[in-house]
Amino acid sequence: MKKVSLDVWIQLIGMLGVLGGLMALVIELNQSQRLSQASAYQARNSEIQEAQRELALSEDFAEILQKFDSQGVDSLTLGERSRVVAWHSAMQWRMQGQFYQYQQGFLEEAALEQTLNDLASGIYQKWEELDLTERIQPFEWKQRIRDRLGQHQCNE
């Protein structure tokens, strides 16, 4: 029987060490991605909660939004229109940020689908009334919205 040389054992131990290190790296990367996803969801929820809290605590803004929803943009004073535009612009930025998180793999398709459904259910139409649709970025996000609006119109 041949004796296995010391060099072969050292190489084997070295390869096992590299393999173990690679496995640890994969586990760490997986955990890091899961943590990033959780962070993205938390940030998304915090933004939505903050916007809803602002609306709830405002003495008159809910009434302004109701006026806009029921009577249209022409019924608003300049000050009211400015506040509604700011509200919807902030919503637009939040949704664009969520699309970016989705593109980076930090939000699931279901979260994006909910956002697209919300847009198709009337939010996009409000953005049209307020002349905000040209601000939508990036192009891929704008295209996803247009695709959903086309599907929504076909289903009606």
Side-chain angles (χ1 to χ4, degrees):
M1 197 162 160
K2 278 188 169 181
K3 275 187 150 183
V4 179
S5 73
L6 182 60
D7 288 345
V8 172
W9 281 109
I10 291 173
Q11 284 180 346
L12 180 62
I13 291 171
M15 284 189 247
L16 289 174
V18 168
L19 185 60
L22 287 174
M23 289 175 58
L25 179 63
V26 167
I27 291 169
E28 188 174 328
L29 287 174
N30 186 24
Q31 175 133 2
S32 177
Q33 182 176 6
R34 287 190 4 232
L35 183 61
S36 294
Q37 286 177 325
S39 179
Y41 274 107
Q42 184 61 39
R44 177 177 184 253
N45 289 337
S46 293
E47 290 171 350
I48 292 169
Q49 286 176 338
E50 182 60 31
Q52 294 303 314
R53 185 178 10 261
E54 287 177 28
L55 181 60
L57 295 176
S58 172
E59 292 185 26
D60 61 343
F61 190 59
E63 292 175 19
I64 293 170
L65 282 179
Q66 180 62 36
K67 182 178 174 182
F68 170 60
D69 290 345
S70 63
Q71 300 173 31
V73 70
D74 292 333
S75 69
L76 303 175
T77 67
L78 289 177
E80 290 170 340
R81 179 185 167 91
S82 177
R83 290 178 73 186
V84 170
V85 166
W87 174 264
H88 281 277
S89 292
M91 183 186 309
Q92 213 173 45
W93 281 106
R94 282 191 306 272
M95 288 180 175
Q96 287 170 193
Q98 291 168 14
F99 180 71
Y100 178 77
Q101 290 172 342
Y102 166 78
Q103 282 183 311
Q104 302 307 310
F106 299 125
L107 282 181
E108 294 176 354
E109 185 76 24
L112 184 68
E113 286 297 314
Q114 180 61 53
T115 300
L116 288 167
N117 288 337
D118 291 344
L119 284 163
S121 296
I123 292 172
Y124 187 83
Q125 182 180 0
K126 292 174 186 176
W127 290 357
E128 286 180 322
E129 281 186 69
L130 297 167
D131 296 322
L132 295 176
T133 56
E134 293 305 314
R135 297 181 184 186
I136 299 171
Q137 295 294 327
F139 176 78
E140 295 86 2
W141 175 228
K142 194 173 215 174
Q143 191 59 46
R144 289 288 297 260
I145 293 169
R146 287 179 178 161
D147 291 347
R148 177 53 54 90
L149 292 172
Q151 291 172 2
H152 186 74
Q153 290 172 349
C154 290
N155 293 335
E156 289 181 346

